[in-house]
Amino acid sequence: MATTTVVSENHGFLIKNAELIKKHGDLALNADIEFHFGENAIELLQNAVPLTVSVHLNVLRKRKYFWDQPVEKVKLSFRIRYHALVELFQVINEDTGVQRNFATLESAIEALGAIRGLSVMKADTLEKQHQYRAEIKVGLDVERLPIALRPIAYFSSDWSLSSSWYRWPLKN
């Protein structure tokens, strides 16, 4: 399960594990991500400014003498926001429209970091005779911040919130 730190001096994102599983003829993503937001991001969120997190997933066919060939590139977007009027945090999958409500910021961040069974591609896209690998990276989408905040976010390390690439071989 994803672990949560609401405000951390060591801000950034960490992918703990990820896998693609077969589900109803598709490959579905399961991932556990730790989100360590900086104080500024948490303050904005608590003042009803939504934050958008982008998950980039690549599936590549391994090749011996050339760079690995991209088979599928997927970008998933999740938004976390606070509704002050009803005092609820909301996590929204912008690709599916699924919305979930939470009473605390901690539980919303934990849910944001637990991706389960999210279909990303058809399983029959992968050919048995080839080897594949997948990689995933997650980051704060600065382009989705209000325009007035973007210049600050571009140049401040507090807003450079992203993970390293997490890579693993796929089994067909």
Side-chain angles (χ1 to χ4, degrees):
M1 192 80 178
T3 59
T4 306
T5 301
V6 175
V7 177
S8 174
E9 294 203 10
N10 297 324
H11 55 276
F13 303 156
L14 176 66
I15 299 169
K16 299 295 282 187
N17 66 54
E19 65 179 349
L20 289 176
I21 59 168
K22 289 185 180 177
K23 177 183 172 184
H24 308 296
D26 289 342
L27 288 180
L29 176 65
N30 286 340
D32 292 309
I33 305 164
E34 286 185 5
F35 291 98
H36 302 280
F37 290 97
E39 191 173 324
N40 293 333
I42 294 299
E43 184 179 342
L44 280 180
L45 188 56
Q46 290 174 330
N47 286 300
V49 175
L51 300 177
T52 303
V53 173
S54 295
V55 177
H56 298 272
L57 170 72
N58 299 322
V59 175
L60 305 128
R61 182 172 63 93
K62 292 183 179 184
R63 297 195 293 187
K64 191 171 185 173
Y65 298 109
F66 298 101
W67 288 291
D68 292 346
Q69 178 183 18
V71 174
E72 191 77 33
K73 290 186 175 196
V74 179
K75 180 183 176 190
L76 307 167
S77 294
F78 299 90
R79 189 170 4 125
I80 183 169
R81 66 181 178 186
Y82 179 63
H83 289 284
L85 188 61
V86 290
E87 297 181 347
L88 284 176
F89 291 90
Q90 190 173 57
V91 174
I92 303 150
N93 179 330
E94 293 190 333
D95 302 295
T96 65
V98 172
Q99 301 178 14
R100 296 182 293 163
N101 297 319
F102 301 92
T104 66
L105 177 58
E106 292 85 0
S107 58
I109 291 174
E110 186 171 321
L112 182 67
I115 298 171
R116 295 289 178 269
L118 195 58
S119 293
V120 293
M121 66 184 285
K122 294 289 181 193
D124 61 7
T125 305
L126 305 182
E127 300 169 355
K128 297 271 186 220
Q129 70 270 24
H130 296 294
Q131 293 182 339
Y132 298 89
R133 70 177 173 90
E135 58 186 15
I136 186 174
K137 183 176 185 170
V138 62
L140 182 68
D141 191 343
V142 175
E143 293 294 320
R144 300 288 300 273
L145 290 171
I147 293 173
L149 295 174
R150 290 181 198 167
I152 296 165
Y154 290 134
F155 298 108
S156 171
S157 63
D158 285 348
W159 292 98
S160 296
L161 300 172
S162 68
S163 70
S164 300
W165 283 101
Y166 181 93
R167 295 178 171 96
W168 71 98
L170 290 180
K171 298 174 186 164
N172 324 3

